[in-house]
Amino acid sequence: MLGEIRTDPERRRAGQLLVLAFLEDGDRASIAGKLKRIKDVLPEAELSGITDKRVLYHDPDDLVDTYTFLFFSEICAEVCSFPASPGQEERAGFALLAKLNEVSQPRGVLVFGGGQEFSEEDFIFSISGHFPKLPFFGGRAGHVFYGDSDGAMAAFAGKELISDGFVCVLFFGEKLKLRVTYNLGWTPIGRKMTVTKASDFLVDKLDFNSPAEIYARYLGLKPFQVIMENIADFPLMMQRGGLPVCRNPIVIFENGDLMFISPVREGEEYRLSFGNPEEIKKDILKDVSEIREFVPQAIVITNCLTRTRFLGEEEEKKLLNLYYETLPETCIFQGNSELYIMDKAGGELNCSLVSMALREGEPSPEESVLKPWETQVMSDEVPLVNRLITFLDRISGELEDKADEANEASEAKSRFISRISHEIRTPINAILGLDEMLIRESSERQVREYAVDIRNSGRTLLSLINDLLDVSRMESGKLRIMPEEYEVAASLKDLTNMISFRAKEKGLNFEIHVDPDIPRRLYGDETRIRQILLNLLTNGVKYTMQGSVILTLEYEKQGPREIDLLCQVEDTGIGIRSEDLKRIASPYVRFEETVNRNIEGTGLGMSIVTELLGQMGSRLMAASEYGKGSVFSFRLSQKVVDWSPIGDFSNLYREAEEEYRETFHASRARILVVDDMRLNLTVIKGLLKETKVQVDTALSGAQALAMLRKETYDMIFLDQRMPGMDGIETLHRLREMKYQPNAQIPAIMLTANAVSGAREAFLAAGFDAYLSKPVDGKKLEKLVMEYLPPEKVELSGKKQPADREAGQEENGAPREEGLLDVLKRIPDFYPQKGLESCMGDEEIYRTILKEFGDTADALAEQLRQHLREGDLKLYTIRVHALKSSARIIGADGLADRAAELEALGDRKEIETIKLKTPDLLSEYERIGGSIREYLE
Ligand code: ADP
């Protein structure tokens, strides 16, 4: 055949010969042999092409090589190679750009990709904008999948095989005309999905779901049915530069990832698509008819295997025959993916047919004879498939619009809730802070009672707002777990304090069983764990009319530094029906609304609990018997910081009932508190009053900096959010400021944003610690004590008389103080309890106190005497009486000592009694003296 060509008169007349070879893939030697033969016979010919996979029309045994010979009257084609390694396609593209700038009047570039994992897109995209009218088209080398798989997969540049890079045929010249189009006919269906994870040729996630899940859902496939046979008819489709582009997966992995032979990118929006035979036909008819008008001298077509598969061989042959009828020498090859890029639109394609028609100069009259083409009579009847697709599309479009609207509304709602909650929290914080001062400072019993009520209601309100905030965070996916080290006992104490009060109020029995061996210090999100337990316990109390609520805490060791905390909340309440139990995690849902209408609640608690546990890798177990009660439990993995056991929790719990007493004095210390809300400043000042720390305040960052320039402070509290300079900026300016006495000052951030991200934020911003609002008095004191210079801090375990005078002389005049105020300064003395034991009647309490004070010295003397005389029996009776009267007036510390000595007396341990009595008696006399001093 080659011989014939050599002697062909056409060839003799031709100014140039271009040979395009599409060769059955095989080993390099045999392919190189074929190319060499062409070049040997036709040394002057430009030669290019690729190894091809033409597996569908023929049996593998029938695979054929095709050669196309294009005779040009002038020189207008040049073959160039552009080697590249994967990832360097763009650089190779610039070499092509340089070449294109050399040739005169480029008309089109036929691109052949050699090797695997090369992106023709990357090769062409960046340069296509430089020649906006120039079409780039072609295909990648392919090979027969079920044949010998180690073929050359090469593109040809003359005799050379390029398996790592690209070969281009540049068409150019004034007379040359090229018409390149691509035909698709695949139609998108369903909603848009964003590629949320992709790497090279793999799509891992669409809208955060694995592609396998998406195919399973939309095509109604069972997991084992998600196989290529079922999904290949629905390739993904996207737009690139305004042109629709299909991606047909070639492999679906077990983990659900999809592999393609062309690049996919994160952030692209894909829809499923399917081949619409009517559209395919229409496109081809249009293409062929335009090509006929063009009067081609050559046609080169890249055709996708998927089309054959989809249309069926017969149907497709009919369509392809239209090209053959136009020009019998039409060359059709397949390759791996088709390329069409024009002015940065398009790309590597699947499912498409790219056609190139070419001619030199204007058609002669006799050539134009070919032209007539019986245009198809278009009927008014729209094919059923088209109508069905439109139907599907409209429905899903409508649903999508609705969903968009709903999403928008829901996002707006979440934003609103989040904003309004922050707004509400600010004034509540101020109310609670001021109220705390009332509770501490008021001497009027009635006022204190009102204030305690305000505190309780305020806290309820705050927790409601916090629940709302949590739900809006949950809905926007912003609820985060933030582990840190914590003391188990402290956490439990807080919890117990909050619940026992409510249980008592309702006449319920609140029990708490804590395994004494639970490690003392753990690492986890204590705030959230407490929130979960508080929610469950509050519900327990709310939905129980009589009986008890029981909290049980146990643990299981899981590793050298790890335990599972086993938490359980049990109640004897109204219970939950089993059908309701399933829905307990849904937000806003409350059961038995009519029965429970008097019980406050939002239906948010359980959904927050479920979400939080889920984020901590746990799950809420719920069991309930309607009318009998419920048990909620969960298991939480926690790291252990300190294995020493927390011990008997009931002892610890008793301590928790203590009233406020300042933990230290630091009258020489001076701190600066900065907040734009005057009320917040008043609260902090008030909360620190008893510690005698000097508190200066500033209402803005600027004011603070001015003060910090002049005065020396021991620490600074900065509100995070302030108008103008915020806390972070203020701190940064302070740290940068030269010539000032506070360069190294510890800085604490005040933040209302305690839950998400606060810790990271303050650390990153250079703060030493943070304190969340509403400011908790104990935490505030603890922080101040921790960060003040130790030499300025005096611990106040025992009361010093000097302190009391200093307190009275504040503002120049002695302050009006109530009975409780004075008495509560006595260490281990709880006048509130004493008052309670007198049913709140201050008169009675006074009388009892007077009696206690007046008789103290004499009774102490009696006890000493009994001991001297060795009369253990009398001693024990007297010490027992002392225990009871001390308990009645609220002198718990003294009562405890007396109880210990009473027990020793019962056991006749005279030596220990002798050892311990002096301390008991001196305390007895001291308390008696203090009481007398006050009552006078
Ligand atoms: P709520 O704010 O209404 O208490 P939750 O989300 O905490 O909301 O609980 C959802 C619903 O589950 C409640 O309205 C109540 O009907 C039911 N429920 C929760 N805990 C208990 C319990 N311990 N006993 C009985 N019913 C409960």
Side-chain angles (χ1 to χ4, degrees):
M1 183 187 79
L2 288 173
E4 276 168 36
I5 299 236
R6 186 158 58 172
T7 52
D8 189 287
E10 289 268 11
R11 185 219 149 217
R12 285 171 177 275
R13 262 186 282 123
Q16 190 183 20
L17 168 59
L18 169 67
V19 184
L20 297 179
F22 299 103
L23 305 181
E24 173 196 347
D25 193 22
D27 63 78
R28 295 181 76 88
S30 80
I31 293 168
K34 291 174 189 173
L35 296 175
K36 181 170 177 296
R37 268 200 300 285
I38 301 172
K39 272 304 229 187
D40 283 350
V41 181
L42 303 165
E44 75 290 357
E46 287 286 314
L47 169 60
S48 189
I50 46 171
T51 55
D52 199 5
K53 54 165 186 199
R54 16 191 61 239
V55 292
L56 275 150
Y57 309 111
H58 317 279
D59 289 335
D61 306 337
D62 283 347
L63 291 181
V64 281
D65 296 335
T66 58
Y67 299 92
T68 297
F69 298 87
L70 291 99
F71 300 100
F72 296 97
S73 59
E74 286 174 15
I75 292 183
C76 50
E78 184 182 345
V79 174
C80 323
S81 63
F82 300 94
S85 40
Q88 294 199 322
E89 291 92 337
E90 228 173 276
R91 196 186 295 171
F94 286 113
L96 169 61
L97 180 64
K99 190 79 210 167
L100 280 171
N101 279 323
E102 277 171 26
V103 300
S104 89
Q105 309 203 8
R107 300 295 189 200
V109 182
L110 174 54
V111 183
F112 293 123
Q116 262 174 315
E117 292 174 25
F118 284 97
S119 161
E120 289 176 288
E121 268 179 26
D122 293 347
F123 176 50
I124 300 298
F125 244 99
S126 51
I127 64 166
S128 83
H130 291 266
F131 291 91
K133 296 228 154 53
L134 193 67
F136 295 84
F137 58 100
R140 286 222 319 255
H143 76 158
V144 185
F145 279 107
Y146 54 78
D148 180 7
S149 64
D150 41 58
M153 284 195 81
F156 317 141
K159 283 187 290 188
E160 212 187 331
L161 268 70
I162 306 283
S163 289
D164 41 12
F166 308 93
V167 175
C168 295
V169 184
L170 276 48
F171 293 99
F172 55 88
E174 194 186 353
K175 280 172 71 184
L176 199 68
K177 292 201 171 68
L178 251 75
R179 179 194 172 281
V180 183
T181 43
Y182 86 99
N183 303 279
L184 189 57
W186 258 248
T187 306
I189 41 168
R191 64 186 184 85
K192 279 185 191 155
M193 295 167 285
T194 305
V195 181
T196 43
K197 201 163 165 235
S199 46
D200 294 333
F201 292 67
L202 273 180
V203 167
D204 312 10
K205 292 277 184 297
L206 283 170
D207 276 355
F208 304 101
N209 295 313
S210 99
E213 281 164 18
I214 289 181
Y215 277 112
R217 178 153 97 235
Y218 287 117
L219 306 183
L221 302 174
K222 306 230 163 50
F224 61 87
Q225 292 171 322
V226 183
I227 50 174
M228 285 312 300
E229 283 76 358
N230 286 328
I231 67 175
D233 295 324
F234 297 90
L236 299 173
M237 190 182 224
M238 62 187 141
Q239 298 270 327
R240 285 206 172 156
L243 292 178
V245 168
C246 270
R247 280 286 172 270
N248 211 358
I250 51 162
V251 181
I252 181 147
F253 292 102
E254 239 167 61
N255 65 0
D257 291 359
L258 290 180
M259 190 169 101
F260 300 86
I261 39 176
S262 308
V264 281
R265 301 190 183 119
E266 272 177 20
E268 284 183 326
E269 279 187 334
Y270 290 8
R271 295 172 74 185
L272 297 191
S273 70
F274 82 104
N276 176 349
E278 294 300 324
E279 290 301 315
I280 294 174
K281 220 160 105 188
K282 221 163 70 190
D283 275 5
I284 297 294
L285 285 175
K286 182 162 172 276
D287 190 32
V288 174
S289 122
E290 281 174 19
I291 287 181
R292 287 179 87 105
E293 244 169 76
F294 177 83
V295 192
Q297 291 168 326
I299 300 178
V300 177
I301 284 172
T302 332
N303 185 36
C304 182
L305 197 104
T306 314
R307 297 170 73 89
T308 325
R309 189 180 175 281
F310 181 76
L311 292 168
E313 281 186 32
E314 280 318 301
E315 205 43 42
E316 184 177 50
K317 253 185 196 160
K318 269 194 228 157
L319 286 180
L320 293 179
N321 267 336
L322 297 173
Y323 292 98
Y324 286 124
E325 279 165 24
T326 307
L327 196 74
E329 297 85 0
T330 291
C331 157
I332 300 184
F333 72 101
Q334 230 153 25
N336 262 345
S337 86
E338 311 77 59
L339 179 76
Y340 175 86
I341 295 179
M342 183 118 130
D343 197 13
K344 295 191 130 183
E348 275 176 59
L349 315 168
N350 295 154
C351 310
S352 68
L353 181 152
V354 178
S355 66
M356 182 274 275
L358 172 151
R359 65 167 297 112
E360 274 184 297
E362 295 303 318
S364 64
E366 72 249 43
E367 275 178 312
S368 304
V369 170
L370 266 174
K371 207 172 152 188
W373 169 261
E374 332 117 38
T375 32
Q376 305 266 317
V377 188
M378 288 286 174
S379 131
D380 287 340
E381 188 188 321
V382 180
L384 176 63
V385 208
N386 285 19
R387 281 174 284 147
L388 273 176
I389 297 159
T390 310
F391 180 66
L392 254 179
D393 209 44
R394 294 281 146 85
I395 289 184
S396 54
E398 277 175 18
L399 289 177
E400 210 154 283
D401 288 350
K402 288 238 163 64
D404 283 350
E405 274 170 37
N407 275 344
E408 243 168 65
S410 146
E411 270 168 34
K413 189 196 75 188
S414 286
R415 276 198 305 274
F416 173 75
I417 290 181
S418 157
R419 209 175 49 235
I420 204 82
S421 316
H422 277 297
E423 295 292 318
I424 296 175
R425 257 159 51 141
T426 311
I428 299 183
N429 290 343
I431 292 171
L432 281 175
L434 293 172
D435 187 59
E436 180 66 30
M437 285 154 64
L438 270 186
I439 294 173
R440 285 189 195 178
E441 291 179 11
S442 172
S443 50
E444 299 265 338
R445 187 168 54 86
Q446 193 62 50
V447 172
R448 287 169 48 95
E449 275 174 23
Y450 292 150
V452 168
D453 285 346
I454 293 178
R455 177 166 69 186
N456 292 338
S457 305
R459 283 182 181 166
T460 309
L461 188 54
L462 199 60
S463 78
L464 265 175
I465 296 296
N466 286 341
D467 276 1
L468 272 180
L469 254 179
D470 276 347
V471 168
S472 83
R473 282 196 190 106
M474 253 160 65
E475 283 172 355
S476 54
K478 285 188 195 137
L479 198 68
R480 297 264 180 281
I481 296 304
M482 308 212 320
E484 48 189 336
E485 288 184 13
Y486 68 96
E487 296 276 344
V488 180
S491 185
L492 279 177
K493 250 195 254 179
D494 280 1
L495 204 59
T496 320
N497 278 341
M498 286 187 248
I499 292 300
S500 61
F501 174 77
R502 290 193 214 179
K504 207 154 127 199
E505 236 182 11
K506 254 187 112 173
L508 298 176
N509 179 26
F510 175 51
E511 286 175 34
I512 179 164
H513 303 298
V514 180
D515 180 344
D517 291 332
I518 291 180
R520 178 180 295 270
R521 248 180 117 64
L522 299 177
Y523 180 84
D525 191 335
E526 185 238 354
T527 314
R528 293 307 195 176
I529 298 173
R530 196 153 31 130
Q531 185 182 359
I532 292 168
L533 286 172
L534 188 62
N535 255 311
L536 296 176
L537 288 168
T538 311
N539 279 350
V541 173
K542 276 193 328 193
Y543 299 105
T544 302
M545 303 315 149
Q546 58 189 32
S548 36
V549 177
I550 305 165
L551 169 66
T552 311
L553 218 63
E554 289 166 349
Y555 81 107
E556 269 172 23
K557 188 170 174 178
Q558 294 297 340
R561 292 222 197 108
E562 207 171 297
I563 59 161
D564 272 0
L565 266 187
L566 312 176
C567 310
Q568 178 176 302
V569 175
E570 190 180 344
D571 66 52
T572 58
I574 60 172
I576 305 167
R577 291 178 204 271
S578 60
E579 63 267 30
D580 289 341
L581 209 51
K582 291 184 204 122
R583 297 185 301 139
I584 200 149
S586 332
Y588 312 110
V589 173
R590 308 195 68 209
F591 311 126
E592 317 248 340
E593 296 246 37
T594 38
V595 184
N596 294 345
R597 68 180 174 279
N598 292 327
I599 301 176
E600 282 173 14
T602 51
L604 296 177
M606 290 308 238
S607 64
I608 295 172
V609 166
T610 310
E611 169 81 16
L612 287 174
L613 283 176
Q615 292 225 13
M616 295 185 190
S618 175
R619 215 156 59 90
L620 183 69
M621 315 292 277
S624 187
E625 196 173 334
Y626 189 61
K628 291 243 171 92
S630 317
V631 185
F632 294 94
S633 60
F634 59 90
R635 169 188 279 270
L636 266 187
S637 166
Q638 300 280 286
K639 295 212 176 67
V640 177
V641 181
D642 181 354
W643 278 101
S644 48
I646 59 166
D648 185 354
F649 183 73
S650 50
N651 285 345
L652 294 165
Y653 172 47
R654 199 130 45 96
E655 283 170 33
E657 287 175 357
E658 270 176 46
E659 271 191 51
Y660 165 79
R661 193 143 31 85
E662 74 279 12
T663 46
F664 69 99
H665 291 155
S667 50
R668 286 179 300 132
R670 192 166 180 198
I671 70 171
L672 178 62
V673 185
V674 191
D675 195 309
D676 58 308
M677 292 263 304
R678 207 178 283 279
L679 266 180
N680 289 340
L681 296 174
T682 316
V683 167
I684 292 188
K685 257 181 121 161
L687 290 175
L688 287 174
K689 191 150 112 194
E690 297 292 324
T691 66
K692 314 242 169 6
V693 172
Q694 302 171 47
V695 181
D696 283 4
T697 58
L699 281 163
S700 69
Q703 191 190 351
L705 288 180
M707 294 168 78
L708 286 158
R709 207 183 286 279
K710 281 190 253 151
E711 306 289 339
T712 309
Y713 290 99
D714 294 309
M715 69 190 292
I716 176 172
F717 284 86
L718 277 167
D719 183 29
Q720 182 185 21
R721 219 190 282 174
M722 290 186 287
M725 224 185 285
D726 65 11
I728 294 174
E729 191 185 343
T730 311
L731 183 66
H732 284 175
R733 295 245 188 130
L734 172 68
R735 300 282 194 227
E736 283 162 12
M737 215 156 74
K738 293 202 178 99
Y739 314 115
Q740 47 98 359
N742 297 300
Q744 300 301 324
I745 187 175
I748 316 292
M749 181 192 275
L750 289 170
T751 169
N753 188 19
V755 190
S756 64
R759 227 150 42 93
E760 285 85 344
F762 85 72
L763 277 178
F767 282 84
D768 296 277
Y770 78 97
L771 183 63
S772 55
K773 295 199 231 175
V775 172
D776 175 286
K778 280 192 205 133
K779 283 192 187 143
L780 173 69
E781 269 185 27
K782 204 167 153 233
L783 261 179
V784 172
M785 195 161 83
E786 191 178 337
Y787 285 96
L788 282 184
E791 67 277 8
K792 292 192 178 174
V793 177
E794 237 171 74
L795 297 184
S796 63
K798 297 263 183 238
K799 199 74 199 171
Q800 277 135 25
D803 287 337
R804 190 162 149 202
E805 274 146 40
Q808 282 179 334
E809 274 158 23
E810 211 177 33
N811 307 329
R815 186 161 55 92
E816 255 301 358
E817 277 193 304
L819 174 69
L820 301 182
D821 282 313
V822 181
L823 293 177
K824 87 180 175 210
R825 297 212 184 127
I826 303 172
D828 294 323
F829 193 90
Y830 309 101
Q832 189 65 38
K833 276 192 176 174
L835 191 60
E836 267 166 32
S837 56
C838 302
M839 290 154 328
D841 189 325
E842 228 177 281
E843 264 317 301
I844 303 176
Y845 189 32
R846 245 170 223 276
T847 322
I848 293 176
L849 278 172
K850 187 163 188 324
E851 164 115 351
F852 186 89
D854 288 347
T855 55
D857 288 354
L859 284 172
E861 196 40 56
Q862 278 184 4
L863 275 164
R864 272 194 199 97
Q865 199 184 334
H866 296 320
L867 199 56
R868 270 199 304 272
E869 290 166 1
D871 191 342
L872 257 193
K873 198 170 172 204
L874 262 182
Y875 176 91
T876 309
I877 291 171
R878 292 255 184 259
V879 98
H880 168 84
L882 173 57
K883 178 190 78 180
S884 309
S885 54
R887 193 77 77 203
I888 287 174
I889 61 164
D892 273 6
L894 184 61
D896 287 350
R897 279 172 196 262
E900 190 191 353
L901 282 160
E902 183 191 356
L904 289 169
D906 286 338
R907 295 202 297 275
K908 311 219 171 9
E909 292 190 36
I910 184 119
E911 288 315 314
T912 323
I913 294 177
K914 277 187 181 159
L915 218 63
K916 291 201 164 194
T917 301
D919 270 357
L920 169 81
L921 295 183
S922 68
E923 191 177 351
Y924 185 13
E925 285 163 342
R926 185 175 55 78
I927 291 178
S930 303
I931 290 173
R932 283 200 304 278
E933 201 180 320
Y934 170 70
L935 291 176
E936 276 154 31

